[in-house]
Amino acid sequence: MSGRWGVGLAAALLMLWFAVPVVPILVWSFADQWRFPAVLPQQWGLRGWALAADEGLVPALMRSLGLGSVVAVLAVALGLGTGRTLARRSSAPGSRWRFLLAVLLLAPVALPPFALAMGLDVLLLRWRVPDAVALVVLLTVFALPYTTYTLRAGFLSLDAELEDQARMLGASRSTAFLRVTLPALAPTVMVATFLAFLIGWSDYIVTAVVTGGQFTTLPVLIGSAASRIGNEPLLGVLSLVSVGVPLTLLLLSGSIMRRTVTRSTAKGGSHAV
Amino acid sequence: MTRLAALLAAGLTAAVLVLSILTLVLTATGLMPLVGTPGATLRAFDAVRGDLLLAVRESLVIATSSTVLAGAIGMSVALVALASPGGSRLLAATTTAPVPVAHIVAAVSFALLLSDAGLANRLSGLDTASWPPLVAGPWPVASVATFAWKESAFVALVVTASLGPAVRDFSEVAALLGAGWRERVRYVLLPLALPALGAACAIVFLFTLGSYEVVWLLGQAYPEPLPVTAYRLFTSLDLQARPQAAAVALTTVGLAMAAAVASVGVLRRSGVSR
């Protein structure tokens, strides 16, 4: 079949498309000297890493980790509520409110973050809301659609009677939720946490607008390095770190998830799959 | 407990949306000036009118071409993964590459790839003068490429997830009934993928319309797209520029809302979603 060659070629081209753009930042992070038109650096080394340390990579990294984590915790905690509400059957009472909630929670995806941040910034200045609070609130609102709809899918795939059974066996409402529903949802919660973390971790423009560039997260540091000329090794290192952290989290969560699934299968749990 | 969280989430989202858009309206129309007395005026819109139209055009060009490319590439990934069961795992792994890459990092990567001293030109062997101005040139090539790269992964993930395992069975039944690859794509796979593809493309369009970092780093100095114009005016030392920034931001919000309503309408009318 000649089609097989075509499919193989298409697959190879698509893999190149996704992989190639990561190459320049990888090479530049370990290049001390890479003058045009050489295809490979004249001199490999760690100059970019020293530059990055001088520019404040570590504090910026800490700020971004903190921002990502806070946004993740808040957006998942709230998303558990909205996701569960939106997973109710349409025949259950209050379906009109749920429709409104569904539309409301899609709106932040449709609207430009820079515009909302600019609008709110004026008010926050007048009301003297601290920048950090404003930043967390805005980014949580932008992360909510992702956690809501991920967790909604999780709740939909869950056996609704599980929690009822726990209740009948005497568990209080919150115990049933915390001990039965939440553990069963763990993989979905992990995905939602990762997505919300990424919103806080990768944001540039909302941070820039709300804090006036005073809160130097990793993306803000990258932005300021990118607007100057001729520091590619520095840019490479900052970019590599920015990609490396979520990538590590992704791989870690994958291995944790695999281990939990194997463990509960080993115990003979039939619902592990 | 969960009900309280849902209420809090809804309240927070509604408050942020309503307050920010309301403030933009008041600022742009002179009713809420940073200094001086309030008075209704459209002076801010008038002052930026020429640039605003060019910015709208620039933003629409970038968002449309990025969406078309991301949709086509993302759909191709789903189709190729279906056609090659063996190689689909490696392809799926590569497709997730853009996911942990922040947009500002993606922009940096494409600058280091496509600028006149970038990796692509090093490989091409041309000198810097003969290399086309892909970054910051008259056509937003680098910006569109960056968005297409980042968002094609998103489209691929959404479409692949929506197709599910049953699709392979349908496709095989069609093949047994004598349908070639092309017919299977045209009459089986594409119709089944269309709801997810349409929704993903709508999200990509809205996202690229309002995204700042990529077009700021890779775009030309003039005309600028909407987010760059708005942020430049917003950070201007001249306080009179604030209402103008609000006017540009408000235009972007209006454009995004119109696009959202239109895409929901199109998706509904084509019977793709109910």
Side-chain angles (χ1 to χ4, degrees):
Chain A
M1 201 169 101
S2 70
R4 188 162 296 172
W5 277 102
V7 169
L9 185 69
L13 283 177
L14 287 170
M15 282 191 265
L16 270 181
W17 162 255
F18 287 115
V20 165
V22 196
V23 173
I25 59 170
L26 258 177
V27 179
W28 270 115
S29 330
F30 300 101
D32 278 3
Q33 198 186 72
W34 190 11
R35 283 214 201 92
F36 188 81
V39 173
L40 283 174
Q42 286 92 357
Q43 206 177 333
W44 297 88
L46 297 175
R47 194 168 65 91
W49 295 85
L51 281 172
D54 289 346
E55 290 271 330
L57 168 63
V58 176
L61 186 67
M62 291 302 151
R63 283 184 207 111
S64 283
L65 276 176
L67 187 59
S69 309
V70 172
V71 169
V73 168
L74 288 177
V76 168
L78 296 177
L80 279 168
T82 46
R84 188 185 167 101
T85 308
L86 291 181
R88 285 220 183 98
R89 261 174 290 146
S90 54
S91 57
S95 73
R96 185 171 299 175
W97 288 109
R98 278 201 299 283
F99 175 72
L100 272 179
L101 184 68
V103 174
L104 178 66
L105 284 164
L106 275 177
V109 173
L111 297 171
F114 81 88
L116 298 189
M118 278 180 198
L120 216 56
D121 187 58
V122 180
L123 271 192
L124 298 169
L125 275 178
R126 294 197 172 210
W127 293 347
R128 295 168 194 239
V129 178
D131 285 354
V133 176
L135 183 59
V136 165
V137 166
L138 262 169
L139 290 177
T140 303
V141 166
F142 286 118
L144 260 172
Y146 298 94
T147 55
T148 298
Y149 283 93
T150 310
L151 290 165
R152 172 178 180 263
F155 278 113
L156 278 176
S157 69
L158 215 62
D159 189 352
E161 277 171 21
L162 224 54
E163 202 171 307
D164 291 346
Q165 284 165 4
R167 294 273 285 143
M168 272 196 290
L169 291 170
S172 71
R173 195 178 283 219
S174 55
T175 312
F177 180 72
L178 290 174
R179 302 283 294 272
V180 177
T181 308
L182 210 52
L185 269 182
T188 320
V189 170
M190 224 185 287
V191 173
T193 309
F194 179 70
L195 291 177
F197 174 83
L198 273 186
I199 300 282
W201 174 258
S202 25
D203 174 73
Y204 174 82
I205 189 65
V206 177
T207 312
V209 168
V210 172
T211 74
Q214 296 302 304
F215 188 65
T216 314
T217 58
L218 191 52
V220 172
L221 200 58
I222 296 175
S224 97
S227 51
R228 287 171 277 149
I229 281 180
N231 43 8
E232 286 89 350
L234 171 65
L235 270 177
V237 170
L238 297 177
S239 303
L240 193 61
V241 173
S242 168
V243 179
V245 169
L247 193 65
T248 312
L249 289 179
L250 200 62
L251 296 175
L252 265 179
S253 63
S255 82
I256 291 174
M257 226 162 348
R258 259 193 305 280
R259 211 173 325 143
T260 359
V261 171
T262 1
R263 204 189 304 146
S264 45
T265 326
K267 267 195 277 178
S270 56
H271 58 272
V273 191
Chain B
M1 197 159 50
T2 49
R3 187 165 297 176
L4 185 69
L7 273 174
L8 203 58
L12 208 60
T13 307
V16 164
L17 297 182
V18 170
L19 287 177
S20 59
I21 295 176
L22 189 67
T23 313
L24 284 180
V25 172
L26 293 179
T27 310
T29 52
L31 290 169
M32 206 174 120
L34 278 180
V35 283
T37 45
T41 167
L42 287 177
R43 228 178 315 155
F45 285 94
D46 239 19
V48 291
R49 196 175 44 201
D51 287 351
L52 194 59
L53 288 178
L54 283 174
V56 167
R57 194 182 67 184
E58 188 74 6
S59 280
L60 285 178
V61 166
I62 293 173
T64 310
S65 12
S66 306
T67 307
V68 170
L69 276 175
I73 297 170
M75 187 68 210
S76 314
V77 172
L79 291 179
V80 169
L82 272 176
S84 63
S88 63
R89 201 176 244 186
L90 190 60
L91 179 61
T94 329
T95 308
T96 56
V99 173
V101 181
H103 275 85
I104 193 149
V105 174
V108 166
S109 302
F110 272 83
L112 296 176
L113 188 68
L114 297 181
S115 67
D116 54 3
L119 185 61
N121 194 17
R122 289 167 191 266
L123 292 171
S124 79
L126 294 172
D127 58 278
T128 47
S130 355
W131 184 252
L134 303 178
V135 175
W139 292 94
V141 179
S143 303
V144 169
T146 310
F147 282 130
W149 180 70
K150 196 59 195 132
E151 300 344 315
S152 60
F154 168 72
V155 175
L157 294 176
V158 171
V159 172
T160 312
S162 81
L163 281 177
V167 164
R168 190 160 273 154
D169 298 343
F170 287 136
S171 176
E172 270 162 23
V173 170
L176 278 178
L177 293 171
W181 174 240
R182 202 166 294 180
E183 278 111 6
R184 271 180 284 159
V185 170
R186 171 83 182 76
Y187 296 107
V188 180
L189 300 177
L190 213 51
L192 284 170
L194 217 51
L197 182 65
C201 283
I203 291 175
V204 170
F205 184 85
L206 291 166
F207 182 87
T208 46
L209 195 65
S211 173
Y212 174 81
E213 300 92 311
V214 173
V215 286
W216 165 56
L217 278 179
L218 301 175
Q220 59 186 341
Y222 189 87
E224 301 162 319
L226 289 162
V228 181
T229 313
Y231 189 62
R232 180 174 50 73
L233 292 166
F234 182 79
T235 49
S236 160
L237 289 176
D238 177 12
L239 287 181
Q240 298 302 316
R242 279 298 178 96
Q244 299 172 13
V248 177
L250 205 57
T251 310
T252 319
V253 170
L255 210 56
M257 278 179 169
V261 170
S263 55
V264 169
V266 169
L267 287 175
R268 246 189 206 190
R269 186 130 39 100
S270 57
V272 173
S273 80
R274 270 168 289 272

